[in-house]
Amino acid sequence: MTPHDRDVADWWRTSIIDMEPGRISFRGTPVQDLIGELSFAQMIWFMVIGERLEGERAKLLDAALVAAVDHGPQAPSIAIARMATTCGVSLNNAMASAVNVLGDVHGGAGEQAVDLYVAVDNRVQTGLPLENAVQTTLDAWRKEHGRFVPGFGHRFHKPVDPRAPRLMRLVDDAANTNAVSGRFAAIGQTIERVLSAEKAKPIPMNIDGATAVIFAELGCPAPLARGLFCLSRSVGILAHAWEQVGQGGRNKGPTPPRYRWTYDGS
Amino acid sequence: MTPHDRDVADWWRTSIIDMEPGRISFRGTPVQDLIGELSFAQMIWFMVIGERLEGERAKLLDAALVAAVDHGPQAPSIAIARMATTCGVSLNNAMASAVNVLGDVHGGAGEQAVDLYVAVDNRVQTGLPLENAVQTTLDAWRKEHGRFVPGFGHRFHKPVDPRAPRLMRLVDDAANTNAVSGRFAAIGQTIERVLSAEKAKPIPMNIDGATAVIFAELGCPAPLARGLFCLSRSVGILAHAWEQVGQGGRNKGPTPPRYRWTYDGS
Amino acid sequence: MTPHDRDVADWWRTSIIDMEPGRISFRGTPVQDLIGELSFAQMIWFMVIGERLEGERAKLLDAALVAAVDHGPQAPSIAIARMATTCGVSLNNAMASAVNVLGDVHGGAGEQAVDLYVAVDNRVQTGLPLENAVQTTLDAWRKEHGRFVPGFGHRFHKPVDPRAPRLMRLVDDAANTNAVSGRFAAIGQTIERVLSAEKAKPIPMNIDGATAVIFAELGCPAPLARGLFCLSRSVGILAHAWEQVGQGGRNKGPTPPRYRWTYDGS
Amino acid sequence: MTPHDRDVADWWRTSIIDMEPGRISFRGTPVQDLIGELSFAQMIWFMVIGERLEGERAKLLDAALVAAVDHGPQAPSIAIARMATTCGVSLNNAMASAVNVLGDVHGGAGEQAVDLYVAVDNRVQTGLPLENAVQTTLDAWRKEHGRFVPGFGHRFHKPVDPRAPRLMRLVDDAANTNAVSGRFAAIGQTIERVLSAEKAKPIPMNIDGATAVIFAELGCPAPLARGLFCLSRSVGILAHAWEQVGQGGRNKGPTPPRYRWTYDGS
């Protein structure tokens, strides 16, 4: 290899994949030793984070990925995927237009919740009691980001988002066997209690709050919580896009054709 | 609900998800009975196809999804994801720009291979011997689509794509326990033999040919093979996008900055 | 420059742009000689096709680009752009998700209409009378593509799409000064007459049929008709995305929040 | 129209477009009165901002849109568009993947520069001398955003980006006829002088700084500067995508196939 080759090769350096004719390895392991050995969820973690998740920990990741796949055709991402397939584009394109909108508002709550939990945990590590750490962190959060606390409350699933307690029970199980520490579960539950006390009504942890507990317990950096959510939601996006292919339709709009929009110009 | 409500509701009908405040079910099963019970791969199949995959069959799906996650930073999809993150967009956007290009050429070989296998199988079902059915189908395929046979040969992995034999061994194992019929494995192997005999050199089954055997054995409609590939490749896309975030960079181009392109205009 | 540099440089060869520090030229013309000289529409043609469009011909391109900017918030592309901005992504992302769905069904009619016109014209060039050439081409088209003839009829704008006659009058004006030949206008009008006679009711040329006449008169290859349409529709997409930013909203779905979808599963 | 219809219609209210069968109007003007009357650039402004730009002002917008169309195949957006077309997707998809990456870093400098100019102008409006207003604003800007000042300096075009002086001359011409006030031109030039004095070397205004002057002179809100840039750059994206279609290729990677990437894992 000449210096010039190296110049170009180094521009695209990676520690994820190594390849020669007839040989592929991911993070140092030959691909044939991963196929048939790792579940898809384990492979996701191995590729993205670089660690092997085993046993209870792998099961938690499966649970988080299973829980967030879909929120129905009135979620903008799902509606976009369904409309896209009727416009004459392929499944990959429909998935792209849909995943693309999982931005700060639609797909960012999990990321923000991990950030919030880690901020609490950092304060606890310095010796602050958990309740105080939560209160201090919530105050700081709202000062910077406004009144919404990511991961808690739901405009639709009242009083309880059925996914959250199920996920939290799995975290508890894993904490009982020391597969995870359980400290982010405690943080999440404390936030829930503090918020509910403030409002004098239940502000339960939602799906984003619960998956964020799992991601934090597993040691996932906050921005990746959004990436993992994108993988999870891609499943619902694909399922709906494919169902729409079966239903047919051409240039499906957001509402039935007989409706018009309101023109409010002059 | 008024007739007008129904009008609007029916426009977005689905059999994938049902929802009321506090209740979510996917294809008739409450979400809390899926979380912690299904692996992510099983959930993918359940959402998209509507069936529960169990045991060996689920393991085959895991294997297919694990095998196709990445092809390195010189695959356009991966390069796009890495460049995108340096342009100031989020992980969801980087994933979208990348998944979007998994079109007929980059992401369509698996879909086409399933189509090809099913066409052979249909001829076998009418009583044609396997070898004849393969030959007839290959002739028809090339007449319509040109000389490339999807799923066989590789411009880089010579003589053998290490993923294919590993996947095929798993299919054999599953066929031995009657978890799958094995007839699409036989079709794939026959195509490989016929092509190699034609060219008088090995034209081995590649990753697309092998995952297509699995998808066909599991009863997956051909277009969904592309959808499932998109889910799988999204993992590598995310892993590389995230690695690039760590490496930093601003407006990363395809080649190091000191290079220029060749202007071939007048 | 070493051979290796050349290798890399040649991989990205182009005749569109040449650049050195302090110097940029597009298709051989310094950028400072284009700025302030060419209108945006002229620059589009110059960049994409490589020709200078002048006078009446440039005005026709302006007209075609102006005519197709928007079809209202029930067009899937526009709805997608509006929903996207409420999900926490930027304008470039909203535009991308929307332009992405201008596929064969939503954005392909202009391209197909140019193809159709050129096919008629090719038959006319061989000596066939126009009416016969139209009939023969329509028969062949439907045999291959089904009963829809791209560019004619409109499910909403009955009896007349107001954009088409206006555009056709501009083409007539340009033909009268020999700025264009007018033969694709004649082809379009003949198709309209033949279709209306067949159905014994008016099947008027629509926006796609009329812009396709302009693109064909200007010598634009059919696939670029879709590209130019994407540029035009991007304007409406941006306008609606920006209006939605002003209206606010979070995770705007396709229908008001109080509506549910119909679950039709078991 | 029933209350329920209104409910749905109001969800998609807009003042951009009104439509009935046979009638379309944009911001209150029938479409047939816009076609053939407005240039494409004028239509862009009318749709997005809602005003008619005339004479010198329209010419400035044309100039800004012409200037930013392309930055060559080593810009990530252009490279993405070219790679995308070789993956078997359509022009609309290639454009989408490319426009999508015009994020804060790749496409946001114009938006940020408009913000910066407006911040200076606000200080000038309160009576601060221009030079002081620039210095105060630059200090505040860097404190919040870091050392890069958007719109000034170029890593490649040294000493001068040839587009900027040409654009600024057009602004001067327009100011001389009172078509624009010229005060944002003065702000831009003052920033350039202050920055160059600080560094004791020329830090010339670049394309983003110059188009931002135009957008600010025309009264364009800062976030729309990015939207308009997306429209402009879409032209180069389309031109390159189409050129690549002509060149052919399958799964074009960022570097020639003989290169490998550097594996830097363990």
Side-chain angles (χ1 to χ4, degrees):
Chain A
M1 193 180 278
T2 72
H4 287 95
D5 283 8
R6 175 137 302 281
D7 183 13
V8 172
D10 282 357
W11 186 245
W12 287 104
R13 73 187 197 281
T14 178
S15 61
I16 297 172
I17 181 171
D18 194 12
M19 214 163 87
E20 287 172 12
R23 191 175 70 75
I24 304 171
S25 67
F26 292 117
R27 299 193 179 279
T29 305
V31 66
Q32 62 270 29
D33 297 347
L34 299 166
I35 297 172
E37 295 301 318
L38 265 52
S39 73
F40 188 42
Q42 286 175 309
M43 185 66 174
I44 291 171
W45 200 261
F46 184 62
M47 286 292 288
V48 178
I49 312 273
E51 289 171 12
R52 298 264 191 143
L53 272 192
E54 305 290 350
E56 297 277 299
R57 292 169 66 83
K59 216 179 143 185
L60 282 182
L61 179 60
D62 269 310
L65 292 170
V66 163
V69 290
D70 188 14
H71 205 254
Q74 278 157 344
S77 53
I78 301 294
I80 287 172
R82 297 192 73 120
M83 297 195 296
T85 63
T86 70
C87 295
V89 300
S90 301
L91 286 175
N92 52 304
N93 308 126
M95 292 171 72
S97 273
V99 168
N100 203 34
V101 306
L102 300 176
D104 285 352
V105 175
H106 193 352
E111 176 177 350
Q112 294 152 23
V114 173
D115 263 337
L116 182 72
Y117 298 164
V118 170
V120 173
D121 190 51
N122 288 342
R123 286 194 168 90
V124 171
Q125 303 293 331
T126 68
L128 213 60
L130 178 51
E131 199 108 357
N132 290 17
V134 162
Q135 196 58 67
T136 311
T137 305
L138 282 177
D139 292 348
W141 177 272
R142 285 151 165 170
K143 202 167 165 184
E144 191 177 342
H145 300 286
R147 68 190 176 86
F148 276 113
V149 178
F152 295 85
H154 203 288
R155 67 180 186 186
F156 181 77
H157 287 302
K158 296 174 196 302
V160 170
D161 181 331
R163 296 164 294 189
R166 177 70 181 118
L167 289 167
M168 291 303 284
R169 203 159 55 243
L170 292 170
V171 177
D172 286 347
D173 292 349
N176 287 337
T177 65
N178 293 316
V180 298
S181 76
R183 71 186 202 270
F184 291 99
I187 287 170
Q189 281 149 350
T190 307
I191 294 175
E192 185 182 53
R193 201 169 53 243
V194 167
L195 290 175
S196 300
E198 278 181 7
K199 307 272 178 179
K201 65 170 181 179
I203 307 288
M205 186 183 288
N206 61 32
I207 171 79
D208 296 310
T211 52
V213 165
I214 291 180
F215 293 143
E217 291 283 354
L218 296 177
C220 171
L224 270 180
R226 186 192 307 207
L228 295 171
F229 172 69
C230 288
L231 294 181
S232 173
R233 184 54 57 93
S234 291
V235 176
I237 286 167
L238 173 60
H240 281 276
W242 178 243
E243 187 183 56
Q244 187 66 53
V245 169
Q247 289 179 9
R250 288 171 63 89
N251 293 333
K252 181 189 181 90
T255 55
R258 78 171 186 82
Y259 289 88
R260 291 271 74 75
W261 61 88
T262 300
Y263 176 68
D264 63 1
S266 53
Chain B
M1 192 179 277
T2 72
H4 288 95
D5 284 8
R6 175 137 300 282
D7 182 12
V8 172
D10 283 357
W11 185 246
W12 287 104
R13 73 187 198 282
T14 178
S15 61
I16 297 172
I17 180 170
D18 195 12
M19 215 163 86
E20 286 172 12
R23 191 176 70 75
I24 304 170
S25 68
F26 293 116
R27 298 193 178 279
T29 305
V31 66
Q32 62 272 28
D33 297 347
L34 298 167
I35 297 172
E37 294 301 319
L38 264 53
S39 72
F40 188 42
Q42 285 174 310
M43 186 64 173
I44 290 171
W45 200 260
F46 184 61
M47 286 292 288
V48 179
I49 312 273
E51 289 171 12
R52 298 265 192 142
L53 271 192
E54 305 290 351
E56 298 275 300
R57 292 169 65 84
K59 216 179 142 185
L60 282 182
L61 179 60
D62 269 309
L65 292 169
V66 163
V69 289
D70 188 13
H71 206 254
Q74 279 156 342
S77 53
I78 301 294
I80 287 172
R82 297 192 73 120
M83 297 195 297
T85 62
T86 70
C87 295
V89 300
S90 300
L91 286 175
N92 52 304
N93 308 126
M95 291 171 74
S97 274
V99 168
N100 203 33
V101 306
L102 301 176
D104 286 350
V105 175
H106 193 354
E111 176 177 351
Q112 294 152 24
V114 172
D115 263 337
L116 182 72
Y117 298 164
V118 170
V120 172
D121 190 51
N122 287 342
R123 286 195 168 91
V124 170
Q125 304 293 330
T126 67
L128 214 59
L130 178 52
E131 198 108 356
N132 290 16
V134 162
Q135 195 61 64
T136 311
T137 306
L138 282 177
D139 292 348
W141 178 273
R142 285 152 164 172
K143 202 166 163 185
E144 192 178 342
H145 299 286
R147 68 191 175 86
F148 277 112
V149 177
F152 294 85
H154 203 288
R155 66 181 186 184
F156 181 76
H157 287 302
K158 295 173 195 304
V160 169
D161 181 330
R163 298 165 292 188
R166 178 71 180 119
L167 289 167
M168 291 303 284
R169 203 158 56 242
L170 292 170
V171 177
D172 285 348
D173 293 350
N176 286 337
T177 64
N178 292 316
V180 297
S181 77
R183 69 185 202 272
F184 292 100
I187 288 170
Q189 281 149 350
T190 307
I191 294 175
E192 186 182 53
R193 201 167 53 243
V194 168
L195 290 175
S196 300
E198 277 181 8
K199 308 270 179 182
K201 64 170 182 180
I203 308 288
M205 186 183 286
N206 61 32
I207 171 79
D208 297 309
T211 52
V213 164
I214 291 180
F215 294 142
E217 291 284 353
L218 297 177
C220 170
L224 270 180
R226 185 190 309 206
L228 295 171
F229 172 69
C230 289
L231 294 181
S232 172
R233 184 53 58 93
S234 291
V235 176
I237 286 167
L238 173 60
H240 281 276
W242 178 243
E243 188 184 53
Q244 185 67 52
V245 169
Q247 290 179 8
R250 287 171 64 89
N251 293 334
K252 181 189 181 87
T255 55
R258 78 169 185 84
Y259 290 88
R260 290 271 75 74
W261 60 88
T262 300
Y263 176 67
D264 64 0
S266 52
Chain C
M1 191 179 279
T2 71
H4 288 95
D5 284 9
R6 176 137 300 281
D7 183 13
V8 172
D10 283 357
W11 185 246
W12 286 104
R13 72 187 199 280
T14 177
S15 61
I16 296 172
I17 181 171
D18 195 12
M19 216 163 86
E20 287 171 11
R23 192 176 69 74
I24 304 171
S25 67
F26 292 116
R27 298 193 177 280
T29 305
V31 66
Q32 62 270 29
D33 297 347
L34 299 166
I35 296 171
E37 295 300 319
L38 263 53
S39 73
F40 187 43
Q42 287 175 307
M43 186 65 174
I44 290 170
W45 199 261
F46 184 61
M47 286 292 288
V48 178
I49 313 273
E51 290 171 12
R52 298 264 192 144
L53 271 191
E54 305 291 351
E56 297 276 299
R57 291 169 66 82
K59 215 179 144 185
L60 282 182
L61 179 60
D62 269 311
L65 292 170
V66 163
V69 290
D70 188 13
H71 206 253
Q74 279 157 342
S77 53
I78 302 294
I80 287 172
R82 297 191 74 120
M83 297 195 296
T85 63
T86 70
C87 296
V89 299
S90 300
L91 286 175
N92 52 304
N93 308 126
M95 293 171 73
S97 273
V99 167
N100 203 34
V101 306
L102 301 176
D104 287 351
V105 175
H106 193 353
E111 175 177 352
Q112 293 152 24
V114 173
D115 262 336
L116 183 72
Y117 298 165
V118 169
V120 173
D121 190 50
N122 287 342
R123 286 195 168 90
V124 171
Q125 304 294 330
T126 68
L128 213 60
L130 178 51
E131 199 108 357
N132 291 17
V134 162
Q135 196 59 68
T136 311
T137 306
L138 283 177
D139 291 348
W141 178 272
R142 285 153 165 171
K143 202 167 163 184
E144 192 177 342
H145 300 286
R147 68 193 177 83
F148 276 113
V149 177
F152 296 85
H154 203 288
R155 66 182 186 184
F156 181 77
H157 287 302
K158 298 174 193 303
V160 169
D161 180 332
R163 297 164 294 187
R166 178 70 181 118
L167 289 168
M168 291 303 285
R169 203 158 57 244
L170 292 170
V171 178
D172 285 349
D173 293 350
N176 286 338
T177 64
N178 293 318
V180 297
S181 76
R183 70 186 202 271
F184 291 99
I187 287 170
Q189 282 149 350
T190 307
I191 294 175
E192 185 182 53
R193 201 167 54 242
V194 167
L195 290 175
S196 301
E198 277 181 7
K199 308 271 180 181
K201 66 169 182 180
I203 307 289
M205 185 183 287
N206 61 32
I207 171 79
D208 297 310
T211 52
V213 164
I214 291 180
F215 293 143
E217 291 283 354
L218 296 177
C220 171
L224 271 180
R226 184 190 309 206
L228 295 171
F229 172 70
C230 288
L231 294 180
S232 172
R233 183 54 57 93
S234 291
V235 176
I237 286 167
L238 174 59
H240 281 276
W242 178 243
E243 188 183 54
Q244 186 66 52
V245 169
Q247 289 179 8
R250 288 171 63 89
N251 293 333
K252 182 189 181 89
T255 55
R258 78 169 186 84
Y259 290 88
R260 290 272 74 76
W261 62 88
T262 300
Y263 177 67
D264 63 1
S266 53
Chain D
M1 192 180 278
T2 71
H4 288 95
D5 284 8
R6 174 136 303 283
D7 182 12
V8 172
D10 283 357
W11 185 245
W12 287 104
R13 73 188 198 280
T14 178
S15 61
I16 297 171
I17 181 170
D18 194 12
M19 215 162 86
E20 287 172 11
R23 191 175 69 75
I24 304 171
S25 67
F26 292 116
R27 299 193 178 279
T29 305
V31 65
Q32 61 271 28
D33 298 347
L34 298 167
I35 296 172
E37 294 302 318
L38 265 52
S39 73
F40 187 42
Q42 286 175 309
M43 186 65 173
I44 290 170
W45 200 261
F46 184 61
M47 286 292 289
V48 179
I49 312 274
E51 290 170 14
R52 297 265 192 143
L53 271 192
E54 304 290 350
E56 298 276 299
R57 291 169 66 83
K59 216 180 142 185
L60 281 182
L61 179 59
D62 269 310
L65 292 170
V66 163
V69 290
D70 188 14
H71 206 254
Q74 279 157 343
S77 53
I78 301 294
I80 287 172
R82 298 192 72 121
M83 297 196 296
T85 63
T86 70
C87 296
V89 300
S90 300
L91 285 175
N92 52 304
N93 308 126
M95 292 171 72
S97 274
V99 168
N100 203 34
V101 305
L102 301 175
D104 286 350
V105 175
H106 194 353
E111 175 177 351
Q112 295 153 21
V114 173
D115 263 337
L116 182 72
Y117 298 164
V118 170
V120 173
D121 190 51
N122 287 343
R123 287 196 167 88
V124 170
Q125 304 294 329
T126 68
L128 214 59
L130 178 52
E131 199 108 358
N132 291 17
V134 162
Q135 196 59 67
T136 311
T137 306
L138 283 177
D139 292 348
W141 178 273
R142 285 152 165 172
K143 202 167 165 183
E144 192 177 341
H145 299 287
R147 67 191 177 86
F148 276 112
V149 177
F152 295 85
H154 203 289
R155 67 179 185 184
F156 181 77
H157 287 302
K158 296 174 194 302
V160 169
D161 181 331
R163 296 164 294 189
R166 178 69 181 119
L167 289 167
M168 291 304 285
R169 202 157 59 242
L170 292 169
V171 178
D172 285 347
D173 293 350
N176 286 338
T177 65
N178 293 317
V180 297
S181 75
R183 70 186 201 272
F184 291 99
I187 288 169
Q189 281 149 351
T190 307
I191 294 175
E192 186 181 53
R193 201 168 52 243
V194 168
L195 290 175
S196 300
E198 278 181 6
K199 307 271 179 180
K201 65 170 182 178
I203 307 288
M205 185 183 288
N206 60 31
I207 171 80
D208 297 310
T211 52
V213 165
I214 291 180
F215 293 142
E217 291 284 354
L218 297 178
C220 170
L224 270 180
R226 185 192 307 207
L228 295 171
F229 171 70
C230 289
L231 293 181
S232 173
R233 183 54 57 94
S234 291
V235 176
I237 286 167
L238 174 59
H240 281 275
W242 178 243
E243 188 184 54
Q244 186 67 52
V245 170
Q247 290 179 7
R250 287 171 65 87
N251 293 334
K252 181 189 182 89
T255 55
R258 78 170 186 84
Y259 290 88
R260 290 272 74 75
W261 60 87
T262 300
Y263 176 68
D264 64 1
S266 52

